[in-house]
Amino acid sequence: RDFSYELGFERENYGLDSNDYGRLAAIGTERRGLSDNLTGEVHAEITRRQQTAGVGADWLVADTGVLTAAIAASHDAKGSGELLELGFQHQSAYLSYGFRTQFTTPGFTQLGYEWPQRPPRQATSAYMSFGSGNSGALGLNYTREDFRDGQPDVDFIGASYSRSLGSLGFLSLSGLHFLGKNPSSLFTLSMTIPLDSVYSVSLNAQSQAGDRQGNVQFQRNLPAGSGFGYRLQAGLSPADPDLAEVSLQNDVGTYTFGAAHTRGQQAYQASMRGGVALLDGRFFPSRSIDGSFGVVEVPGFSGVRVYQDNQEVAKTDSKGYALVPRLRPYQDNPVRIEQADLPLDAEIQGLQLEAVPYSHSAVLLKFPVARSRGAVLTIKLRDGSFLPEGAGVMIEGNPAVFPVGAGGEVYVTGLQQLNHLRVMWRGQTCNLTVRFPESSDPLPRLAPMTCQGIAP
């Protein structure tokens, strides 16, 4: 089952006006696996003046591919309409292809369209891609959208090629040719060169009808955990903006500050992203969570570094919890903790766990680590002599026997706040009552004590 229920205000004039919101909208989507080969979907969008609802299905056709079909209907003050959609896609290591086509009647509408705008009469797209290992990947695509009410139609074909250049980076080339009454072409080139695991340089260029644009960019990537990154961009033409941006990240958020300059104008931007998770009855402030995540518990141990895929992503808080905001769904995610951050008296049964979450869900990872609660005791007999070497000490309720060394010293673990000890040597026994003080000392030494009630 995959579901989403949303309530909010529809964003208007996106990219043009800030904080411009309109109608209150309720949106719901439910997807369920009806069998190993068939998934069904129900979707609805409701506002005070417009209602749209539809159903769809994805059907796995043996090893051939996935067939998709959907129908929908809408109603608003201007009337009613319907939508029909069909599609098919096949994916494999070396060859992938597919198409999708959608038809609407004149009265159909959905969120994102305001009268007199309406969705296209027909929208069709098709693609094919070839993967050839070390030689890169080649893709071909076609898109056509037919609009009503005099809106210009969209009709173009495209091709793309990309490949890894090994240590030299990654290269991508693409081209679009717009068909119709005023044909034109658009070409783009992108190349990224990694300098090391943190720094990279990239070049982006675009050409259309003699108009050339592009930029060169130097970037320091944000780390997986806490840290900072930045981006410096220089335009290749007077119309291209120059930009400087710095990003900071900690366990509870990502913060970005930037400034841009183009054609004598300046722009400034600041943003902050974060999240809150509820798991195992606790709230966890976090960086933005947009997929699967996990919560690490190292009971009672704070400041312990947590690694995912051998990259530091978090540290445990005062109660021993840490949130890992990004896990791959349905895959093994190795998560481990740093042994050097654990005290000497920690009893460790494992430092790494495999997290395998569902999509957009959470998993709790409780590491088998506990305090030994150990101390060095010095035990004397009633005559003032030390307990002889080789004697054994047992804690009531614990079968473990701790041997006594020179000077009556014995290292005992598993102590509670109040402990009853039994001492045995050469056929004799005696008893001790020991109070264990709470301490941050991993190896406390308790004051010398005398064994009472010696019995033969």
Side-chain angles (χ1 to χ4, degrees):
R1 180 190 179 202
D2 182 20
F3 63 91
S4 172
Y5 292 95
E6 305 157 50
L7 181 67
F9 295 94
E10 185 180 12
R11 180 69 182 267
E12 297 180 349
N13 294 311
Y14 183 74
L16 300 176
D17 292 331
S18 297
N19 302 317
D20 187 3
Y21 294 91
R23 302 173 293 178
L24 179 66
I27 306 168
T29 305
E30 277 277 354
R31 287 173 56 86
R32 286 181 177 266
L34 305 178
S35 72
D36 287 345
N37 296 333
L38 183 64
T39 297
E41 176 178 340
V42 178
H43 177 80
E45 306 170 351
I46 300 174
T47 72
R48 186 170 61 88
R49 299 189 302 271
Q50 176 235 313
Q51 303 81 40
T52 302
V55 296
D58 295 320
W59 179 35
L60 177 63
V61 185
D63 294 330
T64 306
V66 177
L67 180 65
T68 299
I71 57 173
S74 71
H75 175 77
D76 65 1
K78 302 297 181 180
S80 301
E82 294 78 33
L83 172 146
L84 171 65
E85 182 176 288
L86 296 171
F88 179 83
Q89 63 175 349
H90 168 88
Q91 292 184 338
S92 65
Y94 299 103
L95 174 64
S96 298
Y97 55 87
F99 77 91
R100 184 178 295 269
T101 185
Q102 176 182 288
F103 303 90
T104 65
T105 61
F108 182 81
T109 190
Q110 59 191 117
L111 283 179
Y113 290 93
E114 287 281 355
W115 181 263
Q117 293 182 337
R118 282 293 191 261
R121 176 191 296 108
Q122 178 188 5
T124 300
S125 62
Y127 73 92
M128 180 176 292
S129 63
F130 307 89
S132 54
N134 295 331
S135 298
L138 174 67
L140 305 172
N141 61 82
Y142 171 74
T143 298
R144 179 177 178 84
E145 293 184 350
D146 297 329
F147 289 92
R148 298 183 175 89
D149 305 322
Q151 297 184 62
D153 296 336
V154 174
D155 193 10
F156 63 84
I157 57 175
S160 63
Y161 174 76
S162 60
R163 66 164 298 175
S164 172
L165 303 177
S167 59
L168 296 179
F170 185 83
L171 174 67
S172 175
L173 301 169
S174 66
L176 293 177
H177 181 68
F178 295 91
L179 307 173
K181 296 180 179 180
N182 300 304
S184 63
S185 298
L186 170 66
F187 300 97
T188 61
L189 177 149
S190 176
M191 185 172 182
T192 301
I193 304 172
L195 303 180
D196 57 18
S197 61
V198 176
Y199 296 96
S200 64
V201 174
S202 62
L203 168 67
N204 300 279
Q206 176 178 299
S207 175
Q208 182 177 20
D211 181 19
R212 294 177 176 83
Q213 298 178 348
N215 61 72
V216 176
Q217 181 174 282
F218 177 76
Q219 180 168 320
R220 185 188 196 277
N221 299 322
L222 273 174
S226 297
F228 74 97
Y230 56 82
R231 181 164 63 103
L232 302 174
Q233 177 181 302
L236 298 180
S237 76
D240 296 320
D242 299 322
L243 180 145
E245 184 178 88
V246 61
S247 298
L248 308 174
Q249 182 166 271
N250 57 18
D251 288 345
V252 299
T254 302
Y255 320 91
T256 302
F257 310 89
H261 173 271
T262 181
R263 292 181 175 176
Q265 295 184 328
Q266 289 79 36
Y268 304 93
Q269 176 180 325
S271 66
M272 177 175 64
R273 298 182 67 210
V276 177
L278 172 62
L279 183 63
D280 197 33
R282 291 174 54 86
F283 282 98
F284 298 93
S286 167
R287 297 194 292 272
S288 179
I289 300 172
D290 52 13
S292 304
F293 67 97
V295 169
V296 168
E297 181 184 2
V298 189
F301 296 96
S302 62
V304 179
R305 285 171 286 179
V306 178
Y307 296 85
Q308 179 197 352
D309 293 330
N310 291 321
Q311 296 189 62
E312 183 182 339
V313 293
K315 287 185 179 180
T316 57
D317 62 16
S318 60
K319 296 186 177 180
Y321 288 91
L323 191 140
V324 181
R326 295 181 182 87
L327 296 176
R328 297 181 300 275
Y330 309 115
Q331 298 182 38
D332 288 337
N333 294 264
V335 178
R336 66 177 176 88
I337 56 176
E338 178 57 66
Q339 183 175 3
D341 295 337
L342 297 170
L344 294 176
D345 64 341
E347 292 184 343
I348 304 169
Q349 299 182 27
L351 292 170
Q352 180 168 308
L353 298 175
E354 298 291 338
V356 187
Y358 292 104
S359 178
H360 292 83
S361 66
V363 61
L364 179 64
L365 301 170
K366 187 172 183 178
F367 279 82
V369 180
R371 288 191 181 276
S372 64
R373 297 177 66 87
V376 176
L377 312 181
T378 302
I379 303 176
K380 293 183 176 182
L381 302 177
R382 283 182 297 180
D383 61 3
S385 63
F386 291 112
L387 191 67
E389 295 180 33
V393 177
M394 297 180 64
I395 304 175
E396 185 178 86
N398 185 345
V401 178
F402 303 94
V404 177
E409 290 189 344
V410 56
Y411 178 60
V412 181
T413 61
L415 294 170
Q416 305 298 317
Q417 187 173 7
L418 181 64
N419 308 270
H420 299 287
L421 275 58
R422 184 176 179 84
V423 182
M424 303 163 290
W425 79 101
R426 300 172 187 171
Q428 295 179 299
T429 63
C430 65
N431 299 305
L432 283 173
T433 298
V434 177
R435 294 186 179 275
F436 182 75
E438 290 295 335
S439 170
S440 59
D441 187 349
L443 192 63
R445 285 181 171 270
L446 303 187
M449 53 196 67
T450 302
C451 205
Q452 303 292 332
I454 298 177

